[in-house]
Amino acid sequence: MPAYTAPVDDMIFVLGDLLDAPAVLAPLGGEEVPLSLMAEVLGEAGRFCEKVAQPINRSGDEEGCVLENGAVRTPKGFPEAYAAFVEGGWPGLSHAPEHGGQGLPRVLQVLFDEMLSSANFSFGLYPGLTRGAVEAIERHADASLKDIYLPPMVEGRWMGAMALTEAHAGTDLGLLRARAEPQPDGSYRVSGSKIFISAGDHDLSENIIHLVLARLPDAPPGVRGISLFLVPKFLPDGEGRPGQRNGVLVGSIEHKMGIKASATCVMNYDEATGWLVGAPHQGLRAMFTMMNAERLFVGIQGLGIAEAAYQGASAYARERLQGRAPGAAAGAAQPILVHPDVRKMLLSIRAFAESGRALAAWTALEMEKAARHPDPAARARADGMVALLTPVIKAAFTDLGFEAAVQGQQVFGGHGYVREWGMEQLVRDARIAQIYEGTNGVQAMDLVGRKLTMEGGALPRAFFAEVRDSLAAHAGSEFSAPVLEALSRLEAATEALAARAAADPAETGAAATDYLRFFALVALGWMWARMALLPSAPPAKQAVARFFMARVLPQTVALELALKAGAAPLMALEEAAF
Amino acid sequence: MPAYTAPVDDMIFVLGDLLDAPAVLAPLGGEEVPLSLMAEVLGEAGRFCEKVAQPINRSGDEEGCVLENGAVRTPKGFPEAYAAFVEGGWPGLSHAPEHGGQGLPRVLQVLFDEMLSSANFSFGLYPGLTRGAVEAIERHADASLKDIYLPPMVEGRWMGAMALTEAHAGTDLGLLRARAEPQPDGSYRVSGSKIFISAGDHDLSENIIHLVLARLPDAPPGVRGISLFLVPKFLPDGEGRPGQRNGVLVGSIEHKMGIKASATCVMNYDEATGWLVGAPHQGLRAMFTMMNAERLFVGIQGLGIAEAAYQGASAYARERLQGRAPGAAAGAAQPILVHPDVRKMLLSIRAFAESGRALAAWTALEMEKAARHPDPAARARADGMVALLTPVIKAAFTDLGFEAAVQGQQVFGGHGYVREWGMEQLVRDARIAQIYEGTNGVQAMDLVGRKLTMEGGALPRAFFAEVRDSLAAHAGSEFSAPVLEALSRLEAATEALAARAAADPAETGAAATDYLRFFALVALGWMWARMALLPSAPPAKQAVARFFMARVLPQTVALELALKAGAAPLMALEEAAF
């Protein structure tokens, strides 16, 4: 298993030199968080990942989760590691102090998520889901539900799960059939079967709080008839302790390609007692609160995989002796790092990991502004940035994370294919992130079909202006110029797409994934330009930035050509001929 | 598990309409093989794959190989399936009749390999390795070895394995340490430990013939001191039956990401009796006979995976109901095939699978010409084509095959990640093909560092001329024009690279993988143009060809830009900064 060292120095470079996070956060109210405190928190978080989460990553993959007597058992060491996680106060890191959280900036949570995903993707998924559930309850549930459920969830004693998908209703939630019957006491009886429920059951926490999408008896058909219900595994007793067992049953667990230490459950809700969260038939809105947070989290999982792949592969490339540098005279074998193609693989990973980290941190600060900026216009603007970047980060970071895992594995040659070395697990684990929380195709449709067009196209305009403005002072530099050039082409492609899509709705879907990658490469290039232009940037930052400009950003030219080709080449083949 | 239907009709389109294989083969001597016989053989082969090999593909993955009492047991059904394979006469399909083969054209073997790799990648690997061993023995061993070993190997009663890699010597075979001591009777005592030996042991055949690279006592250091030895698991007795057990021992088997039904062994040769194959210290040459055949075979494995991924994903896309077509009014959910992005994934796979099949068949016919054409100049020309295309097919087909598997899995959404559906196995199995028989980076170096430059650059010149000439009559067509345009850019890139590499040897490695993909896309585009231009081409061929021209071929523009950026961005970062 490759060792893992939390990249805290680079995180501090991003939070300090690049983004000046303390200055961004200062006007938002709340306690001031100096960079030194951020460094301390990240250092502690990194140690947890290195010492607790990472050592059980491979054993967790080998052992997997087991369903025994209707209950899921996580792999050896997982309950203990989670107990240490709770003990360290990590579940409440960025949650509101009023529910027991530490109220630290979300950007620290995002960076911690990256580290956890590097160290142990499956382990990190459990608290990640709980955080999404906490946010949905905070935002949409009534006060009495909040009072009962938020404190133990923020503390980490209780955890959360999201129950959306049914066998016949994945992307198309309008098809779902689970039902909820109102009871005289104001509660509901929730019934139905859900699949692919991550953390639907496990042995990490005293209780598991399911947020379940279901239909009320008077629900209109389709997505306008879906409501959200809070359904605990154990009904809380009068003192807020887990009491009577609820009708929340594990049907089976899935046998998967990866994330084997994460329990993916078929859940049967059998007249389970639940409570409505938010307004009737407005469940999808409430669920989207949760899903947007989760989508960012999933993007960060891709980033974490890339960092882990880089660390494993660069260490191996320094140690493995095969062949000699190009043009070197005969002699003893040298580390494979001398080979240009090995360097290319490593630099490709790093070109994503470091700029992805920067873009994720920038987005996390925008989320803080969206939530807490005193100026409503600034809140709205930041909210638009987050809405725009969410599908980009989810899809591009998980695609690039998977590619990074594959490249990292390739550096190991045959050893990369053998389980013992741990690199193939990164590939298997990374793969899910491109699929769950809305496949990357769905993310691309969200970007192109919704985010680009809402408010008359204001979201991309604001983002493009931000990129251009922030590089304006150095527009001619070797780092800015290629990004500004690509940005101009992206703007043109955005306008051309809007015109096309108005004429033919198939154009949106035909362009979606290529457009999203184009957008992501410009956004990552923006971060590289900003980092490389900093007077404090170490020489390595500039070297990797140059690699990005020369070897990665030109991919946008091919994406642009694909976009120009439009939908016709995709739609011409008749269905029967597939 | 997705069903599999052998694409015999498309194969006949390729062999008949596209390549007119019977006419190509006629002047080469040997028995005439009309298209009707080819269709019959492929039909039978397809039935074997559908009915025998495919049904044990997923169970083989779940069960894997087991090492028990020093012997490897293959999964349930594998010995019976292999017995049926031998019973059907398949091992000797294209081997010489003088050793018991059927002497059918190699192109039929290549197409059978594709089908076997689609149906059961692990199963197909066993006879694939034997074929490579047979070719090395045929070409390099002396008559007495041929007489003893070839008949049972061609019959399939005995199988083969290649033992090259050692723990510290993978790509860099010059480092290997296995030793061979000459004995008074002309045999050798072979000792050493080898890793990653596919089919090193198993229970499919009576005997296993290992071809082992080792050093003689007087061997010069490095690759010029390596000899090839034939080392049987059981020493043949006087009647050619497996007799005394030789010192060929399985140390362990690897636990891998995929191809779990293929035994990957650590082999210990403990003073094992062996015989020299070819001249002393010339083992690498002999081994390359085997490896070139294997490299084409591995490329075909990638192709087979792509076809399997296409079949699984297109069937699912027709059945799975989610959402509605772009712009469709509300109503019942439709098959996901209506979504442009799903079509894009399917078409991307098919754009490779069908042109890859055509290019593989074209290359197989060149191999026949190289071996049997009466005109030495035609033999040499064909030999050059095969030498040039071998690394391209190995690397590009396995990369594109892996990408196809990933896209096919993506079409399935969450179900693609669950083992039961079989799509994730394609991804895991496909992954090895990018690594073994020389990683794809090594293939790219072979192409760029050797094949482009040997004989003063004659190989690419001949290939480029063939492409241009064959499209000249239709140069302005929508199918030829983009390929000819890309070809011109590829020619320019080839010349520019030669100039650069002369100045800095790092340029070769820096360009290698991007150049290889560029080359492959032009070669695949050439096949699309030729197929689409045929008067007999079905409308679907033209539709997929248009997709290729519009959506795939433009990737060459980005590759060209990456090549122009050169080595500097890869080499600038100092080693300590990785």
Side-chain angles (χ1 to χ4, degrees), chain B residues 35 38 45 53 59 66 68 72 95 102 117 127 137 147 188 199 231 233 240 267 277 308 408 439 504 509 537 547 575:
Chain B
L35 201 61
M38 293 186 183
S59 57
V66 186
E68 276 176 349
V72 171
H95 287 311
Q102 302 185 43
S117 303
I137 295 169
D147 286 348
Y188 295 81
V231 181
K233 178 176 172 182
M267 295 302 305
V277 174
T439 64
D504 176 1
F547 172 83
E575 286 185 29

Side-chain angles (χ1 to χ4, degrees), chain A residues 188 217 322 438 547:
Chain A
Y188 295 80
Q322 297 282 285
F547 171 84

Side-chain angles (χ1 to χ4, degrees), chain B residues 61-339:
Chain B
D61 178 65
E62 289 291 335
E63 187 181 339
C65 287
V66 186
L67 180 62
E68 276 176 349
N69 306 320
V72 171
R73 181 159 53 70
T74 61
K76 211 171 133 185
F78 272 60
E80 293 78 6
Y82 185 71
F85 185 81
V86 172
E87 179 77 18
W90 296 114
L93 185 67
S94 63
H95 287 311
E98 60 183 297
H99 302 120
Q102 302 185 43
L104 283 164
R106 179 185 285 268
V107 70
L108 296 180
Q109 180 65 55
V110 165
L111 293 169
F112 187 21
D113 285 339
E114 183 210 305
M115 294 191 265
L116 264 182
S117 303
S118 294
N120 192 327
F121 188 114
S122 286
F123 180 85
L125 184 50
Y126 289 100
L129 289 162
T130 299
R131 266 202 324 282
V134 165
E135 289 186 24
I137 295 169
E138 262 183 340
R139 190 89 69 95
H140 301 283
D142 63 29
S144 67
L145 286 177
K146 288 189 201 179
D147 286 348
I148 298 171
Y149 291 95
L150 287 179
M153 290 180 82
V154 167
E155 193 187 333
R157 278 190 295 117
W158 296 6
M159 297 184 80
M162 305 170 30
L164 291 73
T165 304
E166 299 179 9
H168 59 286
T171 297
D172 194 348
L173 285 171
L175 302 175
L176 70 82
R177 294 181 194 142
R179 313 207 68 83
E181 294 284 339
Q183 303 299 305
D185 66 354
S187 71
Y188 295 81
R189 291 272 171 280
V190 178
S191 297
S193 187
K194 299 279 181 180
I195 66 168
F196 298 154
I197 309 309
S198 295
D201 195 53
H202 54 75
D203 52 6
L204 303 184
S205 61
E206 292 172 5
N207 203 355
I208 302 171
I209 312 308
H210 295 244
L211 292 179
V212 183
L213 288 184
R215 290 184 187 284
L216 290 165
D218 62 344
V223 290
R224 288 154 204 272
I226 298 174
S227 305
L228 183 64
F229 298 88
L230 183 157
V231 181
K233 178 176 172 182
F234 293 100
L235 296 165
D237 67 13
E239 269 108 78
R241 287 176 307 218
Q244 195 193 326
R245 188 74 158 82
N246 203 357
V248 175
L249 307 164
V250 191
S252 60
I253 57 175
E254 302 289 356
H255 300 283
K256 308 184 300 292
M257 181 185 198
I259 59 164
K260 297 190 180 193
S262 167
T264 306
C265 304
V266 173
M267 295 302 305
N268 297 317
Y269 302 93
D270 184 11
E271 303 213 328
T273 300
W275 290 270
L276 188 65
V277 174
H281 317 319
Q282 298 290 317
L284 222 54
R285 247 185 86 205
M287 196 48 112
F288 262 103
T289 300
M290 192 155 160
M291 287 199 25
N292 277 331
E294 292 301 322
R295 284 173 175 187
L296 277 167
F297 171 68
V298 171
I300 303 306
Q301 291 184 309
L303 177 62
I305 287 283
E307 176 66 28
Y310 181 80
Q311 291 195 19
S314 62
Y316 187 80
R318 264 195 296 266
E319 284 162 22
R320 174 76 172 169
L321 308 174
Q322 296 283 284
R324 295 178 56 74
Q334 296 178 324
I336 60 172
L337 186 56
V338 301
H339 301 302

Side-chain angles (χ1 to χ4, degrees), chain A residues 70 73 104 107 130 282 289 319 355 392 489-490:
Chain A
R73 182 160 52 71
L104 283 163
V107 71
T130 300
Q282 298 290 317
T289 300
E319 283 162 21
S355 59
V392 174
R489 288 187 288 105
L490 178 62

Side-chain angles (χ1 to χ4, degrees), chain A residues 376-414:
Chain A
R379 281 205 303 276
R381 187 175 182 283
D383 200 53
M385 292 289 185
V386 175
L388 183 68
L389 269 296
T390 295
V392 174
I393 289 179
K394 195 285 180 182
F397 281 29
T398 60
D399 283 349
L400 292 167
F402 179 72
E403 291 167 25
V406 170
Q407 286 185 304
Q409 182 187 24
Q410 192 73 16
V411 169
F412 278 69

